[in-house]
Amino acid sequence: MSLPSLRLKANADRRLRAGHLWVYSNEVDVVATPLNLFQPGDQAILEAAGGKPLGVVALSPNNLICARLVSRDVKHTLDKSLLVHRINVALSLRERLFDKPFYRLVYGDSDLLPGLVVDRFGDHLVVQLASAAMERNKDAVLDALVQVLKPRGVLWKNDSSARDAEGLERYVDTAFGVVPEWVALEENGVKFEAPVMEGQKTGWFYDHRMNRARLAPYVKGKRVLDLFSYIGGWGVQAAAFGASEVFCVDASGFALDGVERNATLNGVAEQVTCVEGDVFEALKELKAAEERFDVVVADPPAFIKRKKDLKNGEAAYRRLNEQAMRLLNKDGILVSASCSMHLPEDDLQNILLGSARHLDRNIILLERGGQGPDHPVHPAISETRYIKSLTCRLLPNS
């Protein structure tokens, strides 16, 4: 395939040579290669200002990030052959890490497949295409996944807001075989079923796997509160790890039905209580009822989706964690998590410290956690690192 050129301005190739994969629109020499000549999803040979080829890029010409590097070898375009190779490389890592086929198989840029996310649930795959290039090559994506994994079913879960910036329609559709509404998985020895068609994101959040495993020594025989519980990733595991009682709080009745389903699946339904409603209101009601817990898990959705949300988002994290601390016993454990890419871990730590001091409590940081290795971080792209999880001990100020 003969590809057109995309020429960079002078010195605009430094970041790419240093390992980055993205091209910003203000780095393109639009006199030599006008962006308006490209369509979303086109591929091109990226060139330095002097004409030296840097690799193959997939284009989103109307966006600030107007191109993403697909390959540094101009002979390898985004096609089935490259997809098979990259998926095999990604699979080899996951099979080394996990003894059962439940994990994020492909994590976008970090697996050198920008715009592609694949979660594996045994014989079923849930796929998100977040770029015009991946959407255009969806048949090749499907063929590559079927060739490498031989799944029973593949689901397109293309309903995320990321598609809006690419001008792509949202849809959820079975791409191959049969995909049930709820699929089985296992995490840290605990069984779950995830609602891949109607659930959040791909139906499950593998990114906190390692952090949830860290719960085990803290919850045995303890009373646990799981905030923003979704279908029980934290709460049901806490019960399975031996918690005496677990309260799961979520605004979604559908999600809490999943909690009950997964609690029953693991024989811990009697230990798990579901509380439906706004989490902040539920925290107030629990405080008014003088409820107290040994362990509180606060893993909210992203309060800071864009940089302009930073101030309000930080205030929300502080409000959440402060209210959570008010429900802890004198010697309590708080697991505070954030999936907001724009909130650095140090800032979350400072929020926790400020909240504890406001309540006249001593706080000690016990463990730091990030996303699991099936969500590898690209060292040149800070945006690929987003999960923070801080396990803290709260004591009286004495």
Side-chain angles (χ1 to χ4, degrees):
M1 180 168 61
S2 178
L3 295 177
S5 296
L6 183 70
R7 182 73 59 89
L8 294 176
K9 294 177 181 177
N11 299 319
D13 60 330
R14 288 179 178 174
R15 196 169 37 77
L16 290 148
R17 291 185 187 279
H20 214 289
L21 304 178
W22 299 352
V23 177
Y24 293 92
S25 57
N26 59 3
E27 297 174 325
V28 175
D29 183 347
V30 293
V31 175
T33 54
L35 279 168
N36 60 14
L37 295 183
F38 295 96
Q39 296 297 315
D42 283 353
Q43 295 183 61
I45 303 296
L46 184 67
E47 297 177 348
K52 184 176 180 179
L54 300 173
V56 177
V57 290
L59 282 114
S60 302
N62 303 321
N63 294 351
L64 176 61
I65 302 171
C66 66
R68 295 178 191 246
L69 204 60
V70 171
S71 171
R72 293 185 185 272
D73 186 335
V74 296
K75 297 192 296 289
H76 296 148
T77 61
L78 180 60
D79 58 12
K80 181 187 173 184
S81 177
L82 182 68
L83 286 158
V84 167
H85 171 67
R86 293 273 161 81
I87 291 167
N88 270 315
V89 171
L91 178 63
S92 69
L93 171 66
R94 278 67 177 185
E95 288 185 333
R96 189 186 314 175
L97 293 169
F98 307 112
D99 59 0
K100 294 187 178 179
F102 308 111
Y103 41 69
R104 174 146 293 180
L105 172 65
V106 176
Y107 178 48
D109 293 283
S110 295
D111 285 304
L112 303 180
L113 288 171
L116 179 64
V117 165
V118 182
D119 276 359
R120 185 178 188 185
F121 300 91
D123 292 329
H124 297 97
L125 305 175
V126 180
V127 184
Q128 292 181 314
L129 308 173
S131 72
M134 285 297 173
E135 181 70 26
R136 187 185 290 190
N137 287 277
K138 63 189 292 187
D139 290 343
V141 170
L142 181 60
D143 289 346
L145 288 169
V146 170
Q147 178 177 320
V148 175
L149 279 305
K150 298 177 176 55
R152 290 175 57 192
V154 179
L155 181 72
W156 298 131
K157 189 72 187 296
N158 292 327
D159 57 354
S160 76
S161 59
R163 291 175 60 88
D164 300 346
E166 296 279 313
L168 301 173
E169 293 183 4
R170 301 190 194 190
Y171 62 91
V172 177
D173 189 32
T174 299
F176 173 82
V178 177
V179 180
E181 291 189 12
W182 293 75
V183 299
L185 69 125
E186 185 176 316
E187 183 177 289
N188 301 322
V190 183
K191 296 178 180 180
F192 289 91
E193 291 180 346
V196 291
M197 293 190 181
E198 294 185 45
Q200 297 177 25
K201 306 289 185 176
T202 61
W204 183 253
F205 296 91
Y206 282 124
D207 46 17
H208 269 301
R209 176 202 312 259
M210 306 305 193
N211 302 321
R212 289 191 280 252
R214 290 189 180 94
L215 270 181
Y218 298 104
V219 300
K220 191 169 184 178
K222 303 298 185 182
R223 200 164 191 248
V224 178
L225 177 63
D226 177 15
L227 304 172
F228 301 97
S229 67
Y230 186 44
I231 60 172
W234 294 90
V236 172
Q237 286 194 55
F241 294 157
S244 60
E245 191 174 6
V246 179
F247 280 62
C248 290
V249 184
D250 201 280
S252 166
F254 175 78
L256 292 175
D257 288 344
V259 170
E260 293 177 351
R261 181 184 189 124
N262 288 317
T264 300
L265 193 62
N266 289 279
V268 294
E270 289 187 6
Q271 289 100 289
V272 177
T273 300
C274 292
V275 179
E276 183 177 349
D278 177 82
V279 167
F280 289 99
E281 291 302 316
L283 283 166
K284 290 179 183 177
E285 292 172 8
L286 289 167
K287 179 70 167 60
E290 298 185 345
E291 296 281 2
R292 292 293 182 272
F293 298 88
D294 302 300
V295 180
V296 177
V297 178
D299 179 23
F303 288 151
I304 308 170
K305 294 185 177 179
R306 296 159 295 185
K307 283 186 178 180
K308 67 178 184 178
D309 300 328
L310 192 60
K311 186 175 180 181
N312 289 338
E314 287 180 343
Y317 280 110
R318 175 153 186 164
R319 182 181 166 211
L320 171 64
N321 284 286
E322 192 168 305
Q323 286 187 240
M325 289 176 186
R326 290 180 186 275
L327 293 174
L328 279 173
N329 286 323
K330 286 184 178 181
D331 184 355
I333 298 294
L334 173 67
V335 179
S336 179
S338 167
C339 61
S340 292
M341 177 185 66
H342 299 294
L343 182 72
E345 183 182 291
D346 285 349
D347 290 359
L348 178 60
Q349 181 176 309
N350 289 335
I351 287 169
L352 296 177
L353 176 59
S355 298
R357 295 312 306 143
H358 184 250
L359 298 178
D360 206 25
R361 299 283 295 268
N362 282 326
I363 183 169
I364 303 297
L365 178 58
L366 304 176
E367 299 191 49
R368 300 172 183 269
Q371 60 221 52
D374 54 344
H375 293 68
V377 174
H378 193 297
I381 306 176
S382 60
E383 290 86 351
T384 59
R385 179 176 183 254
Y386 65 103
I387 287 290
K388 283 80 59 177
S389 177
L390 302 179
T391 302
C392 305
R393 187 183 191 187
L394 274 291
L395 293 165
N397 188 30
S398 58

